[in-house]
Amino acid sequence: DLDWVQRCDITSKSPIVVESTEDDLDRELKFYQQALEAVTMAKNNIEKAGVPFSRPNDYFAEMVKSDSQMARIRQKLLDQKTSIQNAEEAKKQRQLRKYGKQIQQEKIKEREDKKKATLDKIAEVKKRLRNGNAGNDDDGGDDDFDINVDSDDDSSSRQTFTNKGKNGRPLPNKKRQVKNAKFGFGGKKRGLKKNTAESTNDMSGFSAKRNKSAEFSRAPNKGIVKRPGKSKRQRTN
């Protein structure tokens, strides 16, 4: 008979009893318990035989696959992980864009509804003003629409134009005055080249010396030789 170290056979002390063969969890648990019991018994037998079974720290085992192949496998796994992360990020961005577009549509619809309500209120107020019933209705007049016919802007603009200048004309609003002070006032455009009594009597720009010069004289220059006519040139030839 061979020693146990040569045979390495283990027999479980208790058989496996499974109540239901359809219960996968219970069946796998019984297999695990039996394997754990066999490993414990085998370890005790090996220690009794004095045979070393633990791998030393300086033990070098050559791998079945080469380093280049393992590097390719590792790179492939990293690429798969990166692609999964990119797909998840793209999905998240699509959801965010969809949500943002939905929010934008809701805001646009809200503005359109608000604009429509405001236009309806203004139309109703104009209708009441035309009928001469503004502010005299039993239902409260303009208060129901939350719109004042004489707004603050209109009153301020009217108050601005009631201020008159030196010539008795109304002054422009503050914004126009600031622009005039910054860029200047264009003033009158018509009749700028029309002579007046003051411009006719103004002789400050007249110079007798300049008027006697050759460039202002209408007399032809005698030093210029004119080309003879065609008939005269034919007779000369």
Side-chain angles (χ1 to χ4, degrees):
D1 294 337
L2 297 176
D3 296 335
W4 182 88
V5 178
Q6 302 294 329
R7 293 182 287 110
C8 293
D9 55 343
I10 297 294
T11 303
S12 178
K13 296 180 180 179
S14 59
I16 295 177
V17 178
V18 180
E19 296 179 358
S20 176
T21 57
E22 301 297 333
D23 191 355
D24 296 339
L25 181 59
D26 185 36
R27 186 176 63 251
E28 294 297 331
L29 181 59
K30 295 297 179 59
F31 291 159
Y32 170 75
Q33 292 176 354
Q34 187 185 45
L36 185 60
E37 180 186 3
V39 169
T40 305
M41 295 170 60
K43 182 179 178 181
N44 295 333
N45 295 335
I46 291 176
E47 289 177 349
K48 290 179 180 179
V51 178
F53 62 90
S54 298
R55 188 177 68 180
N57 296 330
D58 57 350
Y59 179 78
F60 178 77
E62 185 178 359
M63 298 178 62
V64 178
K65 296 183 179 181
S66 61
D67 294 339
S68 59
Q69 186 176 1
M70 293 303 297
R72 288 196 300 269
I73 294 174
R74 183 174 181 274
Q75 186 63 35
K76 185 177 180 180
L77 294 175
L78 292 176
D79 294 341
Q80 290 178 356
K81 183 179 179 181
T82 304
S83 61
I84 292 173
Q85 291 178 353
N86 293 337
E88 292 178 354
E89 185 67 21
K91 184 178 180 181
K92 184 178 180 181
Q93 291 296 331
R94 286 195 299 270
Q95 292 178 353
L96 290 176
R97 285 196 298 269
K98 185 177 179 181
Y99 179 73
K101 188 175 181 180
Q102 182 180 359
I103 295 297
Q104 183 180 7
Q105 291 177 355
E106 292 178 357
K107 289 293 184 181
I108 293 174
K109 187 176 183 301
E110 182 181 355
R111 286 197 297 268
E112 291 178 354
D113 294 342
K114 187 176 180 180
K115 181 179 179 181
K116 183 179 178 182
T118 305
L119 292 177
D120 293 342
K121 292 179 181 179
I122 294 173
E124 185 67 23
V125 171
K126 288 182 179 179
K127 183 178 179 181
R128 293 192 179 191
L129 288 175
R130 285 196 299 269
N131 296 334
N133 298 327
N136 298 326
D137 295 340
D138 297 336
D139 56 352
D142 295 335
D143 295 338
D144 295 340
F145 300 95
D146 196 16
I147 294 177
N148 294 326
V149 178
D150 295 332
S151 62
D152 296 336
D153 296 337
D154 297 338
S155 61
S156 63
S157 62
R158 286 199 300 272
Q159 184 179 1
T160 302
F161 279 101
T162 54
N163 298 329
K164 295 183 179 181
K166 297 180 179 180
N167 55 0
R169 296 182 180 180
L171 295 175
N173 54 19
K174 295 294 183 180
K175 184 176 180 181
R176 184 70 267 169
Q177 292 179 10
V178 171
K179 287 188 176 181
N180 290 343
K182 183 177 181 181
F183 303 106
F185 175 65
K188 186 179 178 181
K189 299 297 189 298
R190 295 183 179 179
L192 294 179
K193 297 183 180 180
K194 184 178 180 181
N195 289 333
T196 60
E198 291 79 4
S199 64
T200 303
N201 297 328
D202 186 12
M203 302 297 292
S204 60
F206 177 77
S207 176
K209 182 179 179 181
R210 184 185 63 181
N211 293 341
K212 290 181 180 180
S213 61
E215 57 179 303
F216 284 93
S217 178
R218 293 187 178 181
N221 193 348
K222 297 181 180 180
I224 301 176
V225 179
K226 292 186 177 181
R227 183 184 181 189
K230 183 177 180 181
S231 59
K232 191 173 182 179
R233 292 197 306 271
Q234 290 176 355
R235 289 194 304 268
T236 304
N237 295 332

